Amino acid sequence: MLKYYVRRSSGEEFQSVASPPADNVWIHGEAVSYDDLHRLSHMYGMDINVLRDVLDTNELPRVEIHPTSGLYVFVRMVQLGKHGKIVTTPVLMVVKDNVFVNGI
């Protein structure tokens, strides 16, 4: 699921918007699907081949810079799992022009 946030000045709080703006937007994803990633690729010109890597539970941390489709940063979020085991999951952040995406 993708959520879209905008603000019009630096002193203003971010506001949630229902429909995704074309520019100046923060997009937060939670439990994203392939359809969500395809929507990001189509709307904002992001590389679908890189975006879909976040669905791979074994994806390694890395940084990729694509001159036309943005900066992609993969990290791994650490959580305490069942039975006290530590588990990690991939998280992707993308910056392209005036669009920032995180948490996918």
Side-chain angles (χ1 to χ4, degrees):
M1 169 187 245
L2 299 174
K3 296 181 182 179
Y4 304 91
Y5 301 91
V6 298
R7 71 178 188 178
R8 288 153 187 78
S9 70
S10 62
E12 182 180 302
E13 295 290 323
F14 280 96
Q15 298 175 349
S16 179
V17 293
S19 61
D23 203 4
N24 296 320
V25 60
W26 164 33
I27 304 167
H28 178 73
E30 290 183 20
V32 296
S33 66
Y34 183 78
D35 290 338
D36 292 329
L37 300 177
H38 185 70
R39 192 173 310 115
L40 285 175
S41 175
H42 178 71
M43 290 186 65
Y44 300 104
M46 296 175 184
D47 188 325
I48 188 64
N49 293 320
V50 178
L51 291 175
R52 71 177 174 200
D53 285 349
V54 77
L55 299 177
D56 179 357
T57 57
N58 296 314
E59 191 61 42
L60 296 174
R62 71 178 193 271
V63 174
E64 289 192 26
I65 301 171
H66 294 256
T68 58
S69 66
L71 168 70
Y72 302 83
V73 179
F74 284 89
V75 296
R76 296 205 52 97
M77 184 175 71
V78 179
Q79 297 173 325
L80 189 58
K82 293 180 181 177
H83 310 296
K85 290 183 75 175
I86 293 178
V87 294
T88 63
T89 54
V91 177
L92 173 61
M93 293 166 277
V94 182
V95 177
K96 182 177 186 263
D97 302 325
N98 291 327
V99 176
F100 175 71
V101 183
N102 77 318
I104 60 173

